[in-house]
């Protein structure tokens, strides 16, 4: 079975294949071997498999593949107002990096913020790294926020949705290139099914239910 690849990966794949051809022509086995491994890595990084997402008006799906880095309650003033549950998902370079909508609703706002490039598993990343935040109002009228955050290696955030758009649970909304983090802010009354250290998959893993 052929796994689809996000179009953002094609330039890197072409570059890698060009390197393979060039080094093979020059009879430099180490060179074409490294170029070949680079091509395989890039193809795996930009993989975009089809997924059948669970549906539910209050069911909350993971927006990213990766590992739950932290779950904590804090005062959230940047994107929402008041106390919120913050869930941070760390995406290593080996995870699928396609981000998916956690719950159906409408995109109220999209905030892009330039910033630094701390390692994505560093707590400073949430506040100081380059990031793109989306505020979504669910069909039931609840507001949540999910934030794409660049990392040490990740230097480009891609977002395919805009403010005012209606989105469906499990739909693709963007990606972050080469290792990153996604933070999710929820009402404190949300009932979670996950814990710190759990591994999750975008559009498949149920994080919990909204009130």
């Amino acid at each position: 079975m052929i796994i689809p690849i996000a179009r953002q990966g094609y330039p890197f794949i072409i570059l890698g294949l060009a390197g393979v051809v060039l080094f093979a022509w020059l009879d430099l086995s180490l060179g074409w071997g490294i170029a070949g491994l680079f091509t395989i890595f890039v193809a795996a990084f930009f993989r975009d498999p089809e997924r059948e997402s669970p549906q539910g008006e209050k069911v909350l799906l993971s927006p990213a593949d990766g590992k739950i880095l932290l779950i904590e309650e804090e005062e959230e003033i940047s994107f929402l107002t008041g106390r919120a549950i913050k869930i941070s998902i760390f995406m290593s370079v080996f995870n699928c990096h396609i981000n998916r909508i956690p719950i159906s609703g409408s995109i109220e706002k999209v905030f892009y913020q330039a910033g630094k490039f701390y390692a994505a598993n560093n707590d400073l990343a949430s506040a100081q790294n380059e990031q793109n935040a989306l505020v979504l109002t669910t069909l039931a009228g609840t507001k949540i926020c999910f934030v794409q955050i660049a990392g040490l290696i990740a230097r480009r955030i891609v977002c395919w949705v805009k403010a005012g758009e209606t989105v469906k649970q499990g739909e693709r909304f963007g990606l972050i290139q080469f290792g990153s983090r996604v933070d999710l802010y929820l009402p404190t009354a949300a009932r979670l099914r996950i814990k710190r250290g759990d591994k999750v998959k975008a559009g498949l893993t149920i994080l919990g239910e909204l009130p």
Side-chain angles (χ1 to χ4, degrees), residues 108-131:
E108 184 176 306
K109 296 178 182 178
V110 178
F111 301 91
Y112 170 77
Q113 173 186 305
K116 299 180 180 179
F117 296 96
Y118 288 108
N121 58 354
N122 188 323
D123 287 342
L124 291 173
S126 287
Q128 299 188 32
N129 278 20
E130 177 180 337
Q131 56 192 264

Side-chain angles (χ1 to χ4, degrees), residues 14-28:
I14 292 171
L15 178 64
L17 291 175
V20 170
V21 173
L22 174 62
F23 288 120
W25 181 69
L26 294 174
D27 198 24
L28 297 173

Side-chain angles (χ1 to χ4, degrees), residues 1-24:
M1 181 179 67
I2 298 176
I3 297 176
I5 295 174
R7 60 182 177 82
Q8 284 77 12
Y10 290 137
F12 297 99
I13 292 173
I14 292 171
L15 178 64
L17 291 175
V20 170
V21 173
L22 174 62
F23 288 120

Side-chain angles (χ1 to χ4, degrees), residues 27-184:
D27 198 24
L28 297 173
S29 57
L30 179 61
W32 69 256
I34 292 174
L37 289 174
F38 171 79
T39 305
I40 293 171
F41 166 76
V42 169
F45 180 90
F46 285 99
R47 65 191 184 277
D48 184 13
E50 294 295 333
R51 292 179 175 176
E52 192 69 33
S53 298
Q55 299 294 307
E57 187 174 314
K58 295 186 177 182
V59 170
L60 189 78
L61 304 180
S62 176
D65 283 29
K67 182 179 180 180
I68 301 295
L69 196 62
L70 65 83
I71 301 174
E72 63 183 13
E73 187 175 317
E74 65 175 43
E75 195 72 25
E76 212 300 298
I77 58 174
S78 298
F79 313 115
L80 303 175
T81 303
R83 297 199 67 76
I85 297 174
K86 176 184 176 181
I87 301 173
S88 292
I89 302 170
F90 174 67
M91 307 162 67
S92 78
V93 292
F94 300 107
N95 289 125
C96 175
H97 273 60
I98 300 295
N99 300 141
R100 294 177 181 263
I101 298 293
I103 191 167
S104 298
S106 59
I107 302 297
E108 184 176 306
K109 296 178 182 178
V110 178
F111 301 91
Y112 170 77
Q113 173 186 305
K116 299 180 180 179
F117 296 96
Y118 288 108
N121 58 354
N122 188 323
D123 287 342
L124 291 173
S126 287
Q128 299 188 32
N129 278 20
E130 177 180 337
Q131 56 192 264
N132 187 65
L134 298 91
V135 176
L136 180 148
T137 301
T138 70
L139 300 177
T142 303
K143 291 187 190 306
I144 68 167
C145 178
F146 38 104
V147 189
Q148 299 170 287
I149 302 173
L152 182 64
I153 301 173
R155 296 300 174 108
R156 187 183 177 202
I157 296 173
V158 179
C159 182
W160 298 315
V161 299
K162 298 178 181 179
E165 289 188 23
T166 299
V167 292
K168 184 181 178 182
Q169 204 164 34
E171 285 183 342
R172 302 164 176 84
F173 75 86
L175 62 85
I176 316 171
Q177 293 182 187
F178 303 117
S180 44
R181 169 177 178 153
V182 173
D183 286 350
L184 186 63

